[in-house]
Amino acid sequence: MDGVSTNSVTVRIVGSSDAFAKTAYLVFERLRSVFGAQVCGKYYNAGEPSLTEFPPALALIRLGAAPLPLVFVDNDLVVIGGKISVPDLRQRLTALGLKPGVNR
């Protein structure tokens, strides 16, 4: 396979404002600049009906135990509240087998 990764990972970010959305799209852009099509990004606004598309986040929000933002790599919750670290996400994606510079 010439060292090309066939893995694809979805990074989901849940926020509640335009500022969260802008941050999420910047994160997605930076991750795609490294991993290309291997990374898919999806932003959810915690107050919008579209959150029902992602039950793990909806459950946390309904419990009231989830400060925003929430960041999931596939279905694994990796950030609850606080800062979204692109270097940490890059490291996690690499650990999952994604290859920098592939599928750009």
Side-chain angles (χ1 to χ4, degrees), residues 1-97:
M1 292 190 46
D2 300 322
V4 175
S5 174
T6 58
N7 292 338
S8 177
V9 175
T10 300
V11 176
R12 295 176 178 91
I13 298 176
V14 180
S16 61
S17 67
D18 288 343
F20 277 123
K22 287 177 185 176
T23 298
Y25 292 114
L26 287 172
V27 168
F28 300 149
E29 189 176 292
R30 289 182 64 194
L31 293 175
R32 280 195 285 270
S33 74
V34 174
F35 296 104
Q38 299 172 93
V39 175
C40 177
K42 177 76 174 156
Y43 175 76
Y44 298 91
N45 185 309
E48 297 292 324
S50 64
L51 188 61
T52 60
E53 298 170 10
F54 191 48
L58 182 60
L60 288 170
I61 302 272
R62 284 185 175 162
L63 287 173
L68 300 176
L70 302 176
V71 180
F72 293 81
V73 173
D74 280 339
N75 288 320
D76 294 331
L77 181 60
V78 298
V79 174
I80 301 176
K83 182 181 174 195
I84 301 172
S85 169
V86 172
D88 289 350
L89 289 172
R90 277 196 321 254
Q91 184 177 13
R92 183 173 289 273
L93 294 171
T94 300
L96 290 173

